[in-house]
């Protein structure tokens, strides 16, 4: 299991001291939750903070755009060469064009679905995707509970994406109690916010979560 640390749940001002100590074997990606106050009511951070974070660590970035009109924003993240750039299927009528633009930039293409969005919403664009970021909470906050329908939706998406070489990433409410089950269902990457940061030692907790996932 790969772990993507959601710094939304961290004390942002403490990251300069803390982040250089993150080890790649414990934390695989830094998950950047970009929120615009439009697609989601909250505003988090954007390309300026992403640039600072990029300076602090060699761990690749995993950019999660929770913004209306992602077409107007994706290009701002190309210079950071993220592992992946993910947009929400609910936010665009031009998913194919957007996916092609991201792929051309050298990052993997991710698409995200809110809990209420059916898996079928992405069934016709699978050849354009490298990763599906399945939300298991409504986006906007860290620290929410994993939705009741999360596991069955993971199974459906796993089946649907078979043969396309698509990675499956789960975001929201992941912690010590469910990471093994997620691993057993074939999830490749777990985003973890509060489940990492509330322990006070995200590096050690990343290691522990990976061990728990192995069982
Ligand atoms: C929610 C964000 C998540 C969130 C995860 O809008 O996309 O990445 O920060 O936090 P936890 O793990 O606490 O649910
Ligand atoms: Zn996220």
């Amino acid at each position: 299991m790969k772990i993507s640390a959601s710094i939304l749940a961290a004390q942002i001002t403490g990251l300069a001291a803390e982040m250089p100590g993150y080890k790649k074997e414990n934390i695989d990606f830094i998950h950047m939750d970009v929120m615009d106050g439009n697609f989601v009511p909250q505003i988090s951070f954007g390309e300026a903070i992403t640039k600072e974070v990029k300076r602090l660590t060699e761990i690749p970035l995993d950019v999660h755009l929770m913004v209306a009109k992602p077409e107007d924003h994706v290009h701002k993240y190309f210079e950071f060469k993220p592992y992946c750039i993910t947009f929400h299927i609910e936010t665009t009528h031009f998913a194919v064009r957007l996916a092609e633009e991201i792929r051309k930039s050298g990052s993997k293409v991710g698409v995200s679905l809110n809990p209420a969005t059916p898996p079928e919403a992405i069934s016709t664009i699978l050849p354009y995707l490298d990763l599906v970021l399945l939300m298991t909470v409504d986006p906007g906050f860290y620290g929410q509970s994993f939705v009741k329908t999360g596991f069955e939706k993971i199974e459906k998406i796993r089946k649907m994406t078979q043969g396309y070489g698509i990675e499956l990433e789960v975001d929201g409410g992941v912690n010590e109690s469910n990471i093994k089950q997620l691993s057993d269902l074939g999830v490749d990457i777990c985003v973890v916010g509060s489940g990492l940061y509330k322990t006070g030692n995200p590096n050690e907790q990343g290691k522990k979560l990976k061990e728990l996932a192995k069982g």
Side-chain angles (χ1 to χ4, degrees), residues 3-10 27 141-144 171-179 190-210 212:
I3 301 289
S4 191
S6 168
I7 61 161
L8 190 67
I27 292 174
F141 303 98
Y142 67 86
Q144 304 179 83
D171 186 1
V174 177
N175 55 40
E176 291 179 14
S177 74
N178 54 18
I179 198 151
C190 279
V191 177
V192 194
S194 48
L196 273 185
Y197 286 98
K198 73 175 181 210
T199 64
N201 191 340
N203 210 26
E204 276 306 303
Q205 185 65 6
K207 189 176 175 183
K208 184 174 180 192
L209 287 171
K210 277 168 179 276
L212 286 171

Side-chain angles (χ1 to χ4, degrees), residues 93-165:
H93 297 300
F94 310 114
V96 169
R97 202 154 59 214
L98 194 52
E100 286 181 327
E101 201 185 341
I102 295 171
R103 247 190 207 165
K104 218 168 98 191
S105 79
S107 291
K108 288 185 188 283
V109 180
V111 77
S112 187
L113 298 86
N114 283 348
T117 304
E120 292 72 32
I122 58 166
S123 63
T124 53
I125 56 164
L126 296 175
Y128 297 93
L129 307 179
D130 301 305
L131 181 147
V132 171
L133 175 60
L134 186 65
M135 292 305 302
T136 40
V137 298
D138 267 336
F141 303 98
Y142 67 86
Q144 304 179 83
S145 300
F146 193 91
V147 289
K148 294 185 192 343
T149 49
F151 294 117
E152 57 186 89
K153 193 164 174 191
I154 290 167
E155 282 187 84
K156 279 188 192 154
I157 299 255
R158 241 306 151 243
K159 269 193 202 130
M160 200 173 97
T161 56
Q162 248 163 26
Y164 285 93

